[in-house]
Amino acid sequence: MREINSEQIKEKVKELFLKANYYIGEDVLNSIRKALNVEKSETGRYVLRMILKNYELSANEKLAICQDTGLAVLFIKLGQEVHIKGNWKEAINEGVKEAYIDGYLRKSAVTDPVFDRKNTKTNCPAIIYTDIVPGDRIELLVNPKGFGSENMSALAMMKPADGAEGIVDFIVETVRKAGPNPCPPTIIGVCVGGTADQACVLAKKAAMRKIGEHNPDPRYAKMEKDALERINKLGIGPAGLGGSTTSLWVSIDYVPTHIAGMPVAVNICCHADRHAHGVLYGNKKDKYSIN
Ligand code: SF4
């Protein structure tokens, strides 16, 4: 049994949210650089250059990549041989609060979503998904999620007979309807299967798969390629100003589902594709990486 102090969790959460908000992943950077070579629209190329400049400024000046610094979402793998000393939920929220206050990141969380809509001024509460897994470490994947893109999410409870073609149609239609709203070029995360709620959570996680990594199942990989090709023919382009770079990548994951259904969730992530991954081993070693 390894002991991990809640203070260490707080510090790690704070560090990861700051890094996610200041630094973009290499895969996104490279993908935008590549798009610059193929984008035919002059305005589109201008927007891509501005996006690259923005990433550079954010990293050098330690400034938020975007003014919408997102709701704080965390995916946590908690080793079953870890004993946490202290209150871990409080520690996570404290880490989020400190990151957003000390890092001058916009606080975007409101209390009651319909009537009061009062800013909590801490960007809390964080949205936490926890998996208990074998092992003696804690893995954290943090995702500050902006709402220009989150608002464009979609769920379809499809019929099994709709098949792969129906799913790809739904993905492309979701991106078409979103138009310029999710700040293209976007990254599209999809999950097929499970229940409605499970599909939505896993679609968000799929959007964080590294650009360039296809689903290992060639049938799903083909759907990813087909969807991306069709999306980039929609003409939406960078910032929605026209062009062939509407999305950088489509990641489709799947989970088992019920015989009578085929839920399909689409989560759209903007070019401010922020996430950071870290591992806590307690006092012995502690690792961090951006993707
Ligand atoms: S969708 Fe993304 S890039 Fe657009 S405003 Fe929101 S966080 Fe920023």
Short mmCIF file of all heavy atoms in Angstrom, two decimals, residues 66-68 146-149 181-183 270-272 274, ligand 1:
data_model
loop_
_atom_site.label_atom_id
_atom_site.label_comp_id
_atom_site.label_asym_id
_atom_site.label_seq_id
_atom_site.Cartn_x
_atom_site.Cartn_y
_atom_site.Cartn_z
N CYS A 66 -6.41 30.54 -24.50
CA CYS A 66 -7.67 31.18 -24.87
C CYS A 66 -8.29 31.81 -23.63
O CYS A 66 -8.09 31.33 -22.51
CB CYS A 66 -8.63 30.17 -25.48
SG CYS A 66 -10.20 30.95 -25.93
N GLN A 67 -9.05 32.89 -23.86
CA GLN A 67 -9.71 33.55 -22.72
C GLN A 67 -10.71 32.63 -22.03
O GLN A 67 -10.95 32.75 -20.84
CB GLN A 67 -10.39 34.85 -23.19
CG GLN A 67 -11.22 34.75 -24.48
CD GLN A 67 -12.59 34.09 -24.31
OE1 GLN A 67 -13.21 34.26 -23.27
NE2 GLN A 67 -13.04 33.36 -25.30
N ASP A 68 -11.31 31.71 -22.80
CA ASP A 68 -12.19 30.72 -22.16
C ASP A 68 -11.31 29.59 -21.65
O ASP A 68 -10.88 28.72 -22.41
CB ASP A 68 -13.23 30.18 -23.15
CG ASP A 68 -14.14 29.15 -22.49
OD1 ASP A 68 -13.91 28.81 -21.31
OD2 ASP A 68 -15.09 28.68 -23.15
N GLY A 146 -13.39 24.30 -22.86
CA GLY A 146 -14.07 25.52 -23.30
C GLY A 146 -15.46 25.20 -23.83
O GLY A 146 -15.72 24.11 -24.33
N PHE A 147 -16.35 26.19 -23.71
CA PHE A 147 -17.74 25.88 -24.03
C PHE A 147 -18.18 26.27 -25.43
O PHE A 147 -19.29 25.92 -25.84
CB PHE A 147 -18.68 26.45 -22.96
CG PHE A 147 -19.13 25.36 -22.02
CD1 PHE A 147 -18.20 24.54 -21.40
CD2 PHE A 147 -20.48 25.13 -21.78
CE1 PHE A 147 -18.60 23.51 -20.57
CE2 PHE A 147 -20.89 24.09 -20.95
CZ PHE A 147 -19.95 23.29 -20.34
N GLY A 148 -17.35 27.00 -26.17
CA GLY A 148 -17.71 27.23 -27.57
C GLY A 148 -17.81 25.89 -28.27
O GLY A 148 -18.74 25.62 -29.06
N SER A 149 -16.88 25.00 -27.94
CA SER A 149 -16.90 23.67 -28.56
C SER A 149 -17.82 22.71 -27.82
O SER A 149 -18.54 21.93 -28.42
CB SER A 149 -15.48 23.12 -28.67
OG SER A 149 -14.83 23.14 -27.43
N ASN A 181 -18.85 27.86 -34.79
CA ASN A 181 -18.99 28.02 -33.33
C ASN A 181 -17.92 27.34 -32.47
O ASN A 181 -17.53 27.88 -31.45
CB ASN A 181 -20.38 27.55 -32.88
CG ASN A 181 -21.46 28.43 -33.47
OD1 ASN A 181 -21.22 29.58 -33.81
ND2 ASN A 181 -22.66 27.88 -33.62
N PRO A 182 -17.44 26.13 -32.85
CA PRO A 182 -16.46 25.50 -31.95
C PRO A 182 -15.01 25.93 -32.21
O PRO A 182 -14.08 25.25 -31.77
CB PRO A 182 -16.65 24.01 -32.24
CG PRO A 182 -17.17 23.93 -33.62
CD PRO A 182 -17.88 25.22 -33.92
N CYS A 183 -14.80 27.05 -32.92
CA CYS A 183 -13.46 27.56 -33.20
C CYS A 183 -12.59 26.54 -33.95
O CYS A 183 -11.60 26.04 -33.41
CB CYS A 183 -12.75 28.00 -31.93
SG CYS A 183 -13.60 29.33 -31.07
N CYS A 270 -12.05 22.42 -29.65
CA CYS A 270 -11.52 23.49 -30.50
C CYS A 270 -10.02 23.36 -30.68
O CYS A 270 -9.39 22.46 -30.11
CB CYS A 270 -11.83 24.82 -29.82
SG CYS A 270 -11.15 24.88 -28.14
N HIS A 271 -9.41 24.32 -31.43
CA HIS A 271 -7.96 24.26 -31.63
C HIS A 271 -7.20 24.50 -30.33
O HIS A 271 -6.04 24.16 -30.22
CB HIS A 271 -7.51 25.24 -32.73
CG HIS A 271 -7.84 26.66 -32.41
ND1 HIS A 271 -7.11 27.39 -31.52
CD2 HIS A 271 -8.84 27.47 -32.84
CE1 HIS A 271 -7.63 28.60 -31.42
NE2 HIS A 271 -8.69 28.67 -32.21
N ALA A 272 -7.88 25.10 -29.32
CA ALA A 272 -7.26 25.22 -28.00
C ALA A 272 -7.48 23.88 -27.29
O ALA A 272 -8.24 23.78 -26.32
CB ALA A 272 -7.88 26.37 -27.22
N ARG A 274 -6.72 21.59 -24.96
CA ARG A 274 -5.90 21.59 -23.76
C ARG A 274 -6.13 20.36 -22.90
O ARG A 274 -7.24 20.09 -22.48
CB ARG A 274 -6.20 22.84 -22.94
CG ARG A 274 -5.83 24.11 -23.66
CD ARG A 274 -6.63 25.26 -23.18
NE ARG A 274 -8.05 25.07 -23.45
CZ ARG A 274 -8.96 26.01 -23.24
NH1 ARG A 274 -8.61 27.17 -22.75
NH2 ARG A 274 -10.23 25.77 -23.51
S1 SF4 B 1 -14.17 27.10 -28.22
FE1 SF4 B 1 -12.03 26.93 -27.63
S2 SF4 B 1 -10.90 28.46 -28.81
FE2 SF4 B 1 -13.11 28.94 -28.91
S3 SF4 B 1 -13.44 30.42 -27.27
FE3 SF4 B 1 -13.90 28.38 -26.41
S4 SF4 B 1 -11.97 27.64 -25.55
FE4 SF4 B 1 -11.48 29.37 -26.86
#
